[in-house]
Amino acid sequence: MSTAWVVLFLAAALAAACGAEAALVEHTFVVSQIEMHHMCNDSLVTLVNGQFPGPTIEVTEGDSVVVHVINKSPLGVTIHWHGVKQHNNCWADGPAMITQCPIQPNKNFTYRFNVIGQEGTLWWHAHVGFLRATIHGALIIRPRLGPNSYPFPKPDWEVPIVIGEWFDMDLFELYEKTENRIYGDIPLSPTINGLLGDFNNCSGVTEDSYKLDVVQGKTYLLRIVNAAIDKAYNLKIAGHKFTVVAADANYVKPYPRKKKKNYVKPYTTDIIAIASGETFDALVIADAPPGRYYMVAQAVQTTEPITQKRVLMSRGIVSYNPMKWSGDDTLAIMAPELPDWHDERPSFYFHGNLTSLLPQTVPSNIDEHMFMALRSGDNCLYAGSPHCKVTMINNISFQHPSAMPLLQAHYNNNMRNISSLIEFPRAPPMVNFTQTPTLTATMVKNLRYNSTVEIVLQGPPGEMSYSNPMHLHGHDFFILAQGIGYYDAEKDVPKYNLVNPSVKNTAHVPMYGWTVIRFVASNPGVWFFHCHTEHHSSSGMAMAFVVEDGPTVETTLSPPPTDYPSCDGHNSIVEYV
Ligand code: C2O
């Protein structure tokens, strides 16, 4: 072989070993309003490219993504790339008035970001008011070395399962009500991949069900997203089990250790308990007798004495070897056994069982010990309405800034001009924190670059409890422990998993309980941290971290993009023109 051939050969071998070259994945998202008909009602909904759920973005790890958002709707819009770490790219993160002004009607903005060091399923959604109810979609990240490099048996098919919620009311109205601390509205029905399912009917018309055709013996990788506005869901398929392989685009260990270092059977579960904002990748083998099986997503709801609503359920159908049935829909469908719709225990155990696939290096020098009491109250101090509700962290209810996004103010060294700004309180005023907010303010916590933060997230432990999925932008964190009741350092620190904790962007804080997370603030910028229950987030259960620049160019916040949207006097979060 001549030298040239050797070089060529080596280059080809190297390319094969390294997988595909990083690519540019480009999408255009046209946001507009479209009339949709469900349950005897026409509603005007705001969608991306007329789709519900919106388009799936598929990338290979290392790719660059460019999304041109063209706003043809009468509302201000932003898009957040939920779970994408956005290293040194905070301008593209998307939460309204945190990193950017909403894109005004008839205006455009192009989001540009790289997907690096993450594999699995994430998603994207509008991050303004309640628009994400209908503006969302999956973001799938495949390994650079191809499907043979999955740390689990290669699936035969991959299927996104996006759980959403259908409201039969105007989402702007819903948002305004929440802003005014009036809530209690629940969706009409959950959806699986946009369909309400045959559990729902109106005047004898049954809603369409999501249908998954399977071939016996084949393995399916379900990429499950909870894109719902509020609720946590239990997902089950009659007669089938799941092997969970990833959570929030981080691989988890499906093989529990039995005795010493013996990985026996994969850990299977018959339930996926998924809170709003979470994503799970799970393998399902079509190993049941041929037939038709319900796939059910049922909302987990709060217990008495909180007002009881009704069962919220969407049913899809898993159908075997559809050719053989030749459309025979009369065959009985097997239904899964469901936990009580108030029972949060399956979710507690499901989340407690998650560990990361590989051992993790958990930093042990904590620079910032934080405690966050997550509460809601029915105090009407700020709304003057007898029905108002407010949510808070450490007795302070978050208020979005109105004049300028926090990130812009931070970049321009202008934070002190945000009159509502306060430093996040170190701890709640008392252990048995009250139900009354002491303040409505834009609370931020300043963090030195690369500082290690540990947060105890304490949910309401008493009666009237509910779970809170707390989501951090721009970083993943380790989930060290969870428990029921009040967190007690003396008892609970020894229970921390410092070996292989799961790595996530959304922490499920259980009903009546607490969760501890730890992360390194390695990404300069302003990063929103909030409950992913939109009613909570919009009524105050939120705060923002301001991560300072590091010592190098790569660790310094870059300048804003040239087409960075301006508020143009439209300083409310969502508004009609
Ligand atoms: Cu999925 Cu700040 O959100």
Side-chain angles (χ1 to χ4, degrees):
M1 254 194 267
S2 76
T3 333
W5 275 110
V6 171
V7 169
L8 258 182
F9 176 78
L10 282 178
L14 201 68
C18 299
E21 292 250 322
L24 187 82
V25 177
E26 197 165 2
H27 284 261
T28 299
F29 280 13
V30 179
V31 180
S32 67
Q33 293 196 316
I34 283 172
E35 191 89 12
M36 284 182 85
H37 187 85
H38 282 298
M39 302 290 282
C40 303
N41 244 331
D42 285 322
S43 11
L44 192 63
V45 292
T46 316
L47 300 177
V48 165
N49 299 352
Q51 290 169 248
F52 178 63
T56 299
I57 297 181
E58 298 186 56
V59 305
T60 300
E61 188 277 328
D63 283 353
S64 299
V65 182
V66 171
V67 182
H68 309 285
V69 178
I70 299 171
N71 188 7
K72 299 246 173 267
S73 86
L75 306 173
V77 172
T78 74
I79 307 284
H80 167 54
W81 316 94
H82 180 118
V84 175
K85 286 194 202 156
Q86 300 287 14
H87 192 76
N88 200 8
N89 193 34
C90 194
W91 303 102
D93 193 43
M97 300 315 287
I98 306 296
T99 66
Q100 68 168 95
C101 294
I103 307 164
Q104 296 301 316
N106 296 314
K107 294 269 163 66
N108 309 337
F109 178 53
T110 298
Y111 290 90
R112 295 170 195 276
F113 56 93
N114 301 324
V115 181
I116 296 171
Q118 303 183 274
E119 287 175 20
T121 305
L122 292 173
W123 61 299
W124 57 267
H125 60 80
H127 209 304
V128 57
F130 277 67
L131 277 189
R132 73 176 169 86
T134 50
I135 298 189
H136 61 246
L139 196 167
I140 291 169
I141 311 160
R142 299 207 169 81
R144 177 131 308 267
L145 298 181
N148 285 320
S149 70
Y150 281 133
F152 45 82
K154 189 176 133 193
D156 298 292
W157 273 279
E158 299 189 6
V159 187
I161 300 287
V162 179
I163 301 170
E165 283 173 343
W166 181 259
F167 286 82
D168 65 347
M169 68 188 295
D170 183 280
L171 294 166
F172 186 73
E173 191 189 318
L174 186 63
Y175 173 71
E176 282 198 313
K177 280 169 97 175
T178 307
E179 272 271 281
N180 289 316
R181 323 298 191 198
I182 304 166
Y183 61 81
D185 297 299
I186 59 166
L188 198 62
S189 165
T191 53
I192 298 178
N193 289 344
L195 300 170
L196 281 67
D198 69 352
F199 182 70
N200 299 281
N201 69 77
C202 172
S203 296
V205 182
T206 303
E207 287 285 331
D208 288 342
S209 295
Y210 168 67
K211 200 154 166 244
L212 174 62
D213 291 333
V214 298
V215 176
Q216 199 170 30
K218 300 288 183 194
T219 301
Y220 296 80
L221 176 63
L222 305 189
R223 296 177 172 276
I224 309 158
V225 177
N226 183 345
I229 276 291
D230 280 345
K231 305 276 183 244
Y233 283 86
N234 286 329
L235 181 78
K236 290 190 94 175
I237 302 174
H240 292 78
K241 292 210 146 95
F242 304 97
T243 302
V244 182
V245 293
D248 293 1
N250 288 287
Y251 291 120
V252 299
K253 188 164 67 183
Y255 302 93
R257 203 182 310 205
K258 288 239 173 109
K259 297 205 194 99
K260 276 197 184 144
K261 285 191 184 142
N262 254 338
Y263 296 100
V264 207
K265 278 194 265 140
Y267 163 63
T268 57
T269 167
D270 63 354
I271 197 162
I272 302 282
I274 185 167
S276 172
E278 288 187 303
T279 57
F280 290 108
D281 292 4
L283 298 170
V284 173
I285 303 173
D287 56 2
R292 301 203 302 152
Y293 300 85
Y294 272 128
M295 171 194 286
V296 176
Q298 180 175 269
V300 186
Q301 299 192 52
T302 43
T303 44
E304 302 274 11
I306 292 181
T307 338
Q308 296 300 289
K309 300 286 167 42
R310 58 171 190 278
V311 171
L312 293 173
M313 178 156 48
S314 175
R315 285 196 304 221
I317 296 165
V318 174
S319 182
Y320 273 66
N321 307 354
M323 296 309 287
K324 283 199 196 144
W325 304 116
S326 54
D328 183 358
D329 280 352
T330 56
L331 279 153
I333 313 176
M334 307 295 175
E337 223 179 89
L338 293 165
D340 184 85
W341 51 289
H342 301 110
D343 190 355
E344 231 243 339
R345 282 171 302 176
S347 167
F348 183 77
Y349 294 118
F350 178 85
H351 285 92
N353 275 336
L354 296 171
T355 53
S356 60
L357 179 68
L358 299 172
Q360 299 293 315
T361 321
V362 181
S364 54
N365 279 332
I366 319 287
D367 301 295
E368 300 283 352
H369 279 279
M370 298 178 72
F371 182 92
M372 294 193 186
L374 315 172
R375 284 304 302 260
S376 70
D378 40 20
N379 182 278
C380 300
L381 209 51
Y382 303 101
S385 149
H387 307 293
C388 58
K389 283 240 181 193
V390 63
T391 59
M392 53 203 140
I393 302 179
N394 292 354
N395 286 9
I396 301 177
S397 202
F398 184 80
Q399 181 191 322
H400 283 77
S402 55
M404 181 190 284
L406 284 179
L407 182 64
Q408 196 181 13
H410 168 64
Y411 182 76
N412 294 338
N413 251 318
N414 210 3
M415 279 288 212
R416 71 194 98 72
N417 282 345
I418 296 187
S419 55
S420 55
L421 198 85
I422 61 159
E423 175 76 10
F424 186 79
R426 286 197 172 275
M430 60 193 85
V431 176
N432 207 338
F433 27 92
T434 69
Q435 289 185 32
T436 311
T438 50
L439 202 61
T440 294
T442 307
M443 45 182 165
V444 300
K445 170 79 186 167
N446 290 297
L447 295 174
R448 258 180 310 108
Y449 176 76
N450 255 351
S451 49
T452 300
V453 184
E454 178 175 297
I455 314 176
V456 175
L457 298 161
Q458 176 70 63
E463 266 193 340
M464 311 270 283
S465 195
Y466 39 83
S467 60
N468 293 290
M470 298 300 293
H471 170 54
L472 176 62
H473 288 221
H475 302 77
D476 281 348
F477 45 67
F478 299 108
I479 302 216
L480 302 186
Q482 62 166 14
I484 298 295
Y486 280 105
Y487 171 81
D488 172 352
E490 214 168 290
K491 265 185 19 234
D492 297 324
V493 171
K495 293 185 206 150
Y496 285 6
N497 178 356
L498 300 170
V499 179
N500 60 356
S502 59
V503 182
K504 296 187 82 256
N505 61 56
T506 304
H508 171 258
V509 183
M511 196 184 278
Y512 311 115
W514 51 267
T515 293
V516 179
I517 63 171
R518 202 180 279 182
F519 69 98
V520 178
S522 55
N523 199 358
V526 179
W527 305 103
F528 207 24
F529 183 57
H530 62 92
C531 184
H532 217 277
T533 297
E534 194 52 52
H535 278 101
H536 292 176
S537 183
S538 290
S539 70
M541 197 181 284
M543 54 85 66
F545 287 104
V546 180
V547 180
E548 289 167 10
D549 286 341
T552 61
V553 177
E554 297 78 58
T555 58
T556 299
L557 181 63
S558 54
T562 46
D563 57 345
Y564 187 59
S566 84
C567 279
D568 282 337
H570 296 271
N571 56 9
S572 72
I573 295 171
V574 181
E575 64 187 14
Y576 289 107
V577 283

